[in-house]
Amino acid sequence: MPIPIHDDSTDANFADGIAAGTSSVREFPPLEHFRVQNIPPAAYYIPDFITKEEEEYLLRKVVDESPQPKWKKVGTGRRLQYWGGTMSKNGILLPEPLPDFLTSFPDIIYRIESFLKTGSVKGKEKMELGIVQVLVNEYLPGQGISPHEDGPAFQPLVATLSLGSHTVLDLHHYLNPTKPSPPMISHSEDQGGKTIAAIPLAHLLLMPRSLLVLRSSLYTSHLHSIAAKEEDLIVHRPITLSGNASLNGDEGDVNGGGVEIANMDLLGDAEIVDSLKNTGRWKGRRDTRVSLTFRKAEKVLKGGALGAMANALKR
Ligand SMILES: O=C(O)CCC(=O)C(=O)O
Ligand SMILES: [Fe+2]
């Protein structure tokens, strides 16, 4: 089935963008345009990174047509799949070729790589992912993922595509026991000997078809999680003369269980933004969400399937 072309190239604001991928002529402004403000460096939220047709196609390939044994169930009931290979116990990726539906039609990997390059700063910073593995997570309503780091086996630059449903990703930092920040400490959990803040540092609303890019310290010294919920309540308190309504700390009781999100200005969803601005809240029931996390292993077993895949990525 051909993927319909999604064309925003007539929008003058997109003039600095890039031709993103061979299966779509969609152009985006450079990565920096999508940076989430007021959180540690760095997170980028890109709404509508893929079209509805591409979303349906990917869901069909990943969920309906992928062989049952590919799925692994994890403790909380969530299912996951690995494409591009799995990690050995000592942190070396045993590579396998990535499937055509990620590399050629639609060419999602090329699109992500081309887009990330727009965030490179000449002579300073190279934004290249060199995707070798794609992790697929499927969350039914009520399922989540507890606070974790993706770990040192992967490069501190990951991109996650959301399909099928919105969710809220929470970002946490480790509490420094010598310098406690008072509003953060209501209770805390222990993670491998380090204490993490019980109240997340920030929340990001991830809509279907969006891409989230996390890098640098947000990847290396923070944790991320998704609360196991069937419904999300987002609240918005306008900035007052006495300063910004805090994004962290006193949320729970004051907001009636709702959370403020750090990426409201990047959401690109008029209905949600209007509701937040006019009523101060938005409530959404979660549906089944499938996420695709694109990442690069620090160490990959040389030869074999890797050669074939590297050739496929060159083009
Ligand atoms: O589903 C997501 O957006 C995040 C998945 C994730 O953090 C992981 O599997 O490590
Ligand atoms: Fe993760």
Short mmCIF file of all heavy atoms in Angstrom, two decimals, residues 133-169:
data_model
loop_
_atom_site.label_atom_id
_atom_site.label_comp_id
_atom_site.label_asym_id
_atom_site.label_seq_id
_atom_site.Cartn_x
_atom_site.Cartn_y
_atom_site.Cartn_z
N GLN A 133 19.23 -0.20 16.97
CA GLN A 133 18.22 -1.03 17.61
C GLN A 133 16.93 -0.26 17.79
O GLN A 133 16.95 0.95 18.07
CB GLN A 133 18.71 -1.51 18.98
CG GLN A 133 17.87 -2.66 19.50
CD GLN A 133 17.94 -2.81 21.00
OE1 GLN A 133 17.83 -1.83 21.73
NE2 GLN A 133 18.09 -4.03 21.46
N VAL A 134 15.83 -0.95 17.61
CA VAL A 134 14.52 -0.35 17.85
C VAL A 134 13.78 -1.21 18.86
O VAL A 134 13.56 -2.40 18.65
CB VAL A 134 13.70 -0.24 16.54
CG1 VAL A 134 12.37 0.45 16.80
CG2 VAL A 134 14.48 0.53 15.47
N LEU A 135 13.46 -0.59 19.99
CA LEU A 135 12.74 -1.29 21.06
C LEU A 135 11.27 -0.90 20.94
O LEU A 135 10.93 0.28 20.90
CB LEU A 135 13.32 -0.84 22.40
CG LEU A 135 12.50 -1.12 23.66
CD1 LEU A 135 12.31 -2.61 23.87
CD2 LEU A 135 13.17 -0.51 24.88
N VAL A 136 10.41 -1.91 20.88
CA VAL A 136 8.97 -1.66 20.78
C VAL A 136 8.33 -2.00 22.13
O VAL A 136 8.54 -3.10 22.65
CB VAL A 136 8.33 -2.55 19.69
CG1 VAL A 136 6.82 -2.33 19.62
CG2 VAL A 136 8.97 -2.30 18.34
N ASN A 137 7.61 -1.05 22.71
CA ASN A 137 6.88 -1.32 23.95
C ASN A 137 5.39 -1.17 23.67
O ASN A 137 4.98 -0.21 23.01
CB ASN A 137 7.24 -0.28 25.03
CG ASN A 137 8.50 -0.64 25.78
OD1 ASN A 137 8.53 -1.61 26.53
ND2 ASN A 137 9.54 0.14 25.56
N GLU A 138 4.59 -2.07 24.19
CA GLU A 138 3.13 -1.94 24.05
C GLU A 138 2.52 -1.80 25.45
O GLU A 138 2.76 -2.64 26.31
CB GLU A 138 2.54 -3.16 23.36
CG GLU A 138 1.04 -3.03 23.14
CD GLU A 138 0.40 -4.37 22.82
OE1 GLU A 138 0.46 -5.30 23.67
OE2 GLU A 138 -0.18 -4.49 21.73
N TYR A 139 1.77 -0.72 25.64
CA TYR A 139 1.13 -0.47 26.94
C TYR A 139 -0.37 -0.49 26.77
O TYR A 139 -0.93 0.30 25.99
CB TYR A 139 1.49 0.94 27.46
CG TYR A 139 2.95 1.25 27.56
CD1 TYR A 139 3.65 1.67 26.43
CD2 TYR A 139 3.62 1.18 28.76
CE1 TYR A 139 5.00 2.00 26.52
CE2 TYR A 139 4.97 1.50 28.86
CZ TYR A 139 5.65 1.92 27.73
OH TYR A 139 6.98 2.24 27.82
N LEU A 140 -1.05 -1.37 27.49
CA LEU A 140 -2.51 -1.30 27.53
C LEU A 140 -2.87 -0.20 28.52
O LEU A 140 -2.04 0.16 29.38
CB LEU A 140 -3.07 -2.65 27.99
CG LEU A 140 -2.67 -3.86 27.13
CD1 LEU A 140 -3.28 -5.14 27.69
CD2 LEU A 140 -3.08 -3.65 25.68
N PRO A 141 -4.10 0.33 28.46
CA PRO A 141 -4.48 1.34 29.45
C PRO A 141 -4.24 0.76 30.85
O PRO A 141 -4.54 -0.41 31.09
CB PRO A 141 -5.97 1.55 29.19
CG PRO A 141 -6.17 1.13 27.77
CD PRO A 141 -5.19 0.03 27.50
N GLY A 142 -3.65 1.55 31.73
CA GLY A 142 -3.38 1.05 33.08
C GLY A 142 -1.98 0.47 33.23
O GLY A 142 -1.57 0.13 34.33
N GLN A 143 -1.25 0.33 32.12
CA GLN A 143 0.13 -0.17 32.23
C GLN A 143 1.13 0.97 32.09
O GLN A 143 0.85 1.96 31.41
CB GLN A 143 0.41 -1.23 31.14
CG GLN A 143 -0.38 -2.50 31.35
CD GLN A 143 -0.11 -3.55 30.28
OE1 GLN A 143 0.32 -3.24 29.18
NE2 GLN A 143 -0.37 -4.80 30.63
N GLY A 144 2.29 0.82 32.72
CA GLY A 144 3.31 1.86 32.64
C GLY A 144 4.69 1.23 32.71
O GLY A 144 4.87 0.05 32.46
N ILE A 145 5.65 2.07 33.07
CA ILE A 145 7.03 1.57 33.22
C ILE A 145 7.64 2.35 34.38
O ILE A 145 7.48 3.56 34.46
CB ILE A 145 7.81 1.75 31.88
CG1 ILE A 145 9.21 1.16 31.92
CG2 ILE A 145 7.91 3.22 31.45
CD1 ILE A 145 9.86 1.03 30.52
N SER A 146 8.26 1.62 35.31
CA SER A 146 8.73 2.31 36.52
C SER A 146 10.01 3.10 36.25
O SER A 146 10.68 2.88 35.23
CB SER A 146 8.89 1.32 37.66
OG SER A 146 9.66 0.25 37.21
N PRO A 147 10.36 4.04 37.14
CA PRO A 147 11.51 4.91 36.87
C PRO A 147 12.78 4.11 36.61
O PRO A 147 13.11 3.20 37.37
CB PRO A 147 11.64 5.73 38.16
CG PRO A 147 10.30 5.67 38.79
CD PRO A 147 9.72 4.35 38.42
N HIS A 148 13.46 4.42 35.54
CA HIS A 148 14.68 3.69 35.17
C HIS A 148 15.56 4.57 34.30
O HIS A 148 15.12 5.57 33.74
CB HIS A 148 14.31 2.41 34.39
CG HIS A 148 13.71 2.71 33.05
ND1 HIS A 148 12.40 3.11 32.90
CD2 HIS A 148 14.25 2.74 31.80
CE1 HIS A 148 12.16 3.33 31.62
NE2 HIS A 148 13.27 3.13 30.94
N GLU A 149 16.81 4.15 34.16
CA GLU A 149 17.73 4.72 33.17
C GLU A 149 17.87 3.67 32.09
O GLU A 149 17.83 2.48 32.40
CB GLU A 149 19.12 4.90 33.77
CG GLU A 149 19.27 5.94 34.83
CD GLU A 149 20.71 5.93 35.36
OE1 GLU A 149 21.64 6.03 34.55
OE2 GLU A 149 20.87 5.80 36.57
N ASP A 150 18.11 4.09 30.85
CA ASP A 150 18.30 3.08 29.81
C ASP A 150 19.70 2.46 29.88
O ASP A 150 19.95 1.41 29.34
CB ASP A 150 18.04 3.64 28.42
CG ASP A 150 16.54 3.86 28.20
OD1 ASP A 150 15.76 3.60 29.13
OD2 ASP A 150 16.17 4.29 27.10
N GLY A 151 20.60 3.15 30.58
CA GLY A 151 21.88 2.53 30.91
C GLY A 151 23.02 2.83 29.97
O GLY A 151 22.82 3.33 28.87
N PRO A 152 24.23 2.48 30.41
CA PRO A 152 25.44 2.86 29.69
C PRO A 152 25.70 2.06 28.42
O PRO A 152 26.59 2.40 27.65
CB PRO A 152 26.55 2.59 30.72
CG PRO A 152 25.99 1.56 31.63
CD PRO A 152 24.51 1.75 31.65
N ALA A 153 24.93 1.00 28.18
CA ALA A 153 25.17 0.20 26.98
C ALA A 153 24.71 0.95 25.72
O ALA A 153 25.03 0.56 24.60
CB ALA A 153 24.46 -1.13 27.09
N PHE A 154 23.94 2.03 25.94
CA PHE A 154 23.44 2.80 24.80
C PHE A 154 23.98 4.22 24.82
O PHE A 154 24.31 4.77 25.87
CB PHE A 154 21.91 2.84 24.80
CG PHE A 154 21.30 1.50 24.56
CD1 PHE A 154 20.87 0.71 25.61
CD2 PHE A 154 21.20 0.99 23.27
CE1 PHE A 154 20.35 -0.56 25.40
CE2 PHE A 154 20.69 -0.27 23.04
CZ PHE A 154 20.26 -1.05 24.11
N GLN A 155 24.04 4.81 23.63
CA GLN A 155 24.47 6.21 23.51
C GLN A 155 23.46 7.14 24.16
O GLN A 155 22.25 6.89 24.07
CB GLN A 155 24.50 6.59 22.03
CG GLN A 155 25.84 6.53 21.43
CD GLN A 155 25.90 7.38 20.16
OE1 GLN A 155 24.99 8.13 19.84
NE2 GLN A 155 26.98 7.23 19.46
N PRO A 156 23.92 8.23 24.77
CA PRO A 156 22.97 9.14 25.43
C PRO A 156 22.22 10.04 24.46
O PRO A 156 22.21 11.25 24.58
CB PRO A 156 23.85 9.95 26.38
CG PRO A 156 25.21 9.86 25.80
CD PRO A 156 25.31 8.59 25.03
N LEU A 157 21.61 9.42 23.48
CA LEU A 157 20.76 10.13 22.52
C LEU A 157 19.76 9.10 22.01
O LEU A 157 20.14 8.13 21.35
CB LEU A 157 21.61 10.67 21.35
CG LEU A 157 20.87 11.32 20.19
CD1 LEU A 157 20.14 12.58 20.65
CD2 LEU A 157 21.84 11.69 19.06
N VAL A 158 18.48 9.28 22.39
CA VAL A 158 17.46 8.31 21.96
C VAL A 158 16.25 9.06 21.42
O VAL A 158 15.97 10.18 21.83
CB VAL A 158 16.97 7.38 23.11
CG1 VAL A 158 18.04 6.43 23.55
CG2 VAL A 158 16.45 8.17 24.28
N ALA A 159 15.56 8.42 20.50
CA ALA A 159 14.36 9.03 19.91
C ALA A 159 13.21 8.04 20.06
O ALA A 159 13.38 6.85 19.78
CB ALA A 159 14.62 9.33 18.44
N THR A 160 12.07 8.53 20.53
CA THR A 160 10.92 7.64 20.74
C THR A 160 9.69 8.13 19.98
O THR A 160 9.26 9.27 20.16
CB THR A 160 10.59 7.52 22.24
OG1 THR A 160 11.74 7.04 22.92
CG2 THR A 160 9.44 6.56 22.49
N LEU A 161 9.16 7.24 19.17
CA LEU A 161 7.96 7.55 18.39
C LEU A 161 6.77 6.93 19.12
O LEU A 161 6.84 5.78 19.55
CB LEU A 161 8.14 6.88 17.02
CG LEU A 161 7.28 7.25 15.84
CD1 LEU A 161 7.37 8.73 15.52
CD2 LEU A 161 7.73 6.43 14.62
N SER A 162 5.70 7.71 19.28
CA SER A 162 4.49 7.20 19.96
C SER A 162 3.42 6.87 18.93
O SER A 162 3.14 7.67 18.04
CB SER A 162 3.93 8.25 20.92
OG SER A 162 4.78 8.43 22.02
N LEU A 163 2.80 5.71 19.08
CA LEU A 163 1.74 5.29 18.16
C LEU A 163 0.50 4.90 18.96
O LEU A 163 0.61 4.28 20.03
CB LEU A 163 2.16 4.06 17.35
CG LEU A 163 3.52 4.08 16.62
CD1 LEU A 163 3.80 2.72 16.00
CD2 LEU A 163 3.54 5.15 15.54
N GLY A 164 -0.67 5.23 18.45
CA GLY A 164 -1.92 4.68 18.99
C GLY A 164 -2.58 5.43 20.12
O GLY A 164 -3.80 5.42 20.24
N SER A 165 -1.83 6.03 21.01
CA SER A 165 -2.44 6.71 22.16
C SER A 165 -1.46 7.73 22.73
O SER A 165 -0.25 7.59 22.54
CB SER A 165 -2.77 5.69 23.25
OG SER A 165 -3.24 6.35 24.43
N HIS A 166 -2.01 8.67 23.46
CA HIS A 166 -1.14 9.57 24.21
C HIS A 166 -0.65 8.84 25.45
O HIS A 166 -1.20 7.80 25.83
CB HIS A 166 -1.91 10.83 24.63
CG HIS A 166 -2.73 10.62 25.86
ND1 HIS A 166 -4.05 10.18 25.82
CD2 HIS A 166 -2.42 10.72 27.17
CE1 HIS A 166 -4.49 10.04 27.05
NE2 HIS A 166 -3.52 10.37 27.90
N THR A 167 0.37 9.39 26.09
CA THR A 167 0.74 9.00 27.44
C THR A 167 1.44 10.18 28.10
O THR A 167 1.67 11.20 27.46
CB THR A 167 1.63 7.74 27.46
OG1 THR A 167 1.58 7.17 28.78
CG2 THR A 167 3.08 8.04 27.13
N VAL A 168 1.77 10.02 29.37
CA VAL A 168 2.56 11.06 30.04
C VAL A 168 3.85 10.43 30.53
O VAL A 168 3.83 9.45 31.28
CB VAL A 168 1.78 11.69 31.22
CG1 VAL A 168 2.67 12.67 32.00
CG2 VAL A 168 0.53 12.41 30.71
N LEU A 169 4.96 10.97 30.04
CA LEU A 169 6.28 10.50 30.48
C LEU A 169 6.75 11.40 31.61
O LEU A 169 6.70 12.62 31.51
CB LEU A 169 7.27 10.56 29.32
CG LEU A 169 8.64 9.97 29.63
CD1 LEU A 169 8.65 8.46 29.36
CD2 LEU A 169 9.74 10.62 28.79
#
